[in-house]
Amino acid sequence: MKFVPSYLKLSKNELREKADRLFEMLKECSICPRLCKVIRTNGQKGFCKVGCYPMVYSYTPHFGEEDILVGRRGSGTIFFTGCNISCVYCQNYEISQLMRGKEVDFETLADMMIELQDLGCHNINFVTPTHQIPQILKSLEVAIEKGLNIPLVYNSSGYDSTEVLKILDGIFDIYMPDIKYSNNTFAEKYSFAPNYFEIAKSAVREMYRQVGDLVVENGIALRGLIVRHLVLPKGIAGSYEVLKFISEEISTNTFINIMKQYRPLFKAYKYNEISRRIYEEELYEVVNIAKEMGFKRIYL
């Protein structure tokens, strides 16, 4: 039986209502936990530096994501410009902070989704969607009319509004948040993200409530939660507490990607403690903690 994405089970009116509610939130922007309150519908820009139209850097079949997203034909990845956090070591800093990309209309973004589907991609993977989610839903309405019918992936930093995520219930089949830190002091120092751990925990609880543990069929993810955790030098990510939260409040059956690719890019050279790559023993210390906590689906 062919898998039917959640958004196709919504009526046109239900989807339109969700899109309208989110777009209304741009009038005094409360789309993310920063609550900038700028009037993005009038072109004002807050922390994320994006107005009321989608802003996209690129779209392409991507083969560098998790195997279960990539399969044989790639993950249909759309990289959005801007971000609602500002990591000093961001590997995509040209996109997230230097704002490379261009503003497009809703139909153009919809056409990107359709083109990726036509190329055979297994999913549409929205990278850094948090600050542009109203625009994505407006475009999704158009894409559905054009025949979109593959799963959607919400690929975020974890610094997401639980209120907004509740509105998104029934849209995304796959949530893929980072949980970057368990220490709020480090989160603010290196990512300018106040109260990060509390916000990310609340967001991940809501994501899991909506989609549950990851469902994989014929090697391809169809629905569920994937959590990414980037190991940082000197234990700065606070990996033990991150894993403890997931094991105790989410599930030890969570598909968790323990990421080793930290590189001291962008402004990381200004901070001696993160100005190097991680050591192999730092990575495997985190992997061993995950194993000891009983995680069954650890991805490297």
Side-chain angles (χ1 to χ4, degrees):
M1 186 175 178
K2 182 175 171 59
F3 176 79
V4 178
S6 295
Y7 60 86
L8 291 180
K9 300 174 185 177
L10 296 174
S11 70
K12 289 183 181 180
N13 286 340
E14 288 174 314
L15 180 57
R16 174 66 54 82
E17 181 184 354
K18 289 176 182 288
D20 289 346
R21 285 179 65 190
L22 292 171
F23 221 79
E24 189 71 18
M25 295 171 73
L26 292 179
K27 291 182 178 178
E28 290 186 8
C29 192
S30 55
I31 285 296
C32 92
R34 291 191 179 277
L35 303 176
C36 289
K37 298 295 184 181
V38 298
I39 307 172
R40 289 174 64 186
T41 50
N42 285 352
Q44 293 182 13
K45 298 174 183 179
F47 187 93
C48 70
K49 304 175 188 174
V50 176
C52 67
Y53 285 100
M55 193 168 182
V56 175
Y57 173 71
S58 67
Y59 67 105
T60 185
H62 191 13
F63 293 88
E65 302 282 61
E66 288 78 353
D67 293 346
I68 52 170
L69 294 178
V70 168
R72 291 187 295 110
R73 300 189 300 274
S75 178
T77 303
I78 301 175
F79 285 92
F80 288 96
T81 300
C83 189
N84 71 324
I85 65 174
S86 186
C87 299
V88 298
Y89 51 82
C90 181
Q91 66 179 4
N92 292 324
Y93 64 90
E94 298 99 334
I95 308 169
S96 65
Q97 297 177 48
L98 301 185
M99 302 301 290
R100 292 189 181 174
K102 65 178 182 179
E103 196 172 85
V104 299
D105 59 30
F106 303 128
E107 182 152 357
T108 299
L109 179 54
D111 287 340
M112 292 176 186
M113 300 181 209
I114 295 299
E115 185 176 339
L116 291 168
Q117 177 174 275
D118 289 346
L119 288 170
C121 294
H122 299 284
N123 47 66
I124 303 298
N125 183 350
F126 298 109
V127 179
T128 322
T130 302
H131 60 300
Q132 300 198 49
I133 199 65
Q135 295 90 326
I136 290 170
L137 259 65
K138 287 285 189 184
S139 302
L140 179 61
E141 292 184 73
V142 180
I144 291 171
E145 292 293 328
K146 292 173 180 280
L148 189 71
N149 61 10
I150 55 177
L152 306 181
V153 182
Y154 187 96
N155 180 346
S156 82
S157 69
Y159 203 58
D160 291 288
S161 161
T162 303
E163 178 186 358
V164 168
L165 290 171
K166 288 178 179 178
I167 298 172
L168 294 178
D169 193 359
I171 301 292
F172 291 91
D173 281 295
I174 300 170
Y175 281 105
M176 188 164 62
D178 294 333
I179 303 184
K180 292 181 176 292
Y181 310 92
S182 63
N183 183 306
N184 286 332
T185 299
F186 290 152
E188 189 153 12
K189 180 177 181 180
Y190 302 118
S191 294
F192 299 88
N195 302 314
Y196 176 86
F197 195 34
E198 287 71 28
I199 287 168
K201 286 192 293 185
S202 179
V204 172
R205 288 188 197 104
E206 175 59 21
M207 293 173 181
Y208 184 71
R209 183 194 69 78
Q210 292 181 25
V211 298
D213 289 324
L214 191 68
V215 175
V216 179
E217 188 175 290
N218 298 322
I220 300 297
L222 296 179
R223 179 177 174 85
L225 178 70
I226 300 170
V227 175
R228 287 173 163 179
H229 177 65
L230 179 67
V231 179
L232 296 175
K234 298 188 177 183
I236 283 169
S239 302
Y240 178 86
E241 292 298 328
V242 169
L243 293 170
K244 182 181 178 185
F245 158 69
I246 300 169
S247 69
E248 292 181 354
E249 299 192 43
I250 305 300
S251 168
T252 54
N253 200 37
T254 299
F255 188 101
I256 182 164
N257 182 355
I258 298 175
M259 303 172 76
K260 65 180 181 180
Q261 62 261 49
Y262 173 77
R263 290 178 293 160
L265 295 174
F266 197 32
K267 299 178 182 178
Y269 70 92
K270 296 181 178 181
Y271 303 83
N272 182 61
E273 64 276 19
I274 59 169
S275 62
R276 62 164 173 84
R277 301 194 71 157
I278 64 168
Y279 300 138
E280 188 171 320
E281 54 265 34
E282 290 176 313
L283 170 68
Y284 284 100
E285 179 182 358
V286 177
V287 172
N288 289 333
I289 290 170
K291 289 178 177 178
E292 290 168 5
M293 288 185 179
F295 283 97
K296 304 173 183 67
R297 306 165 88 181
I298 302 169
Y299 182 88
L300 290 175

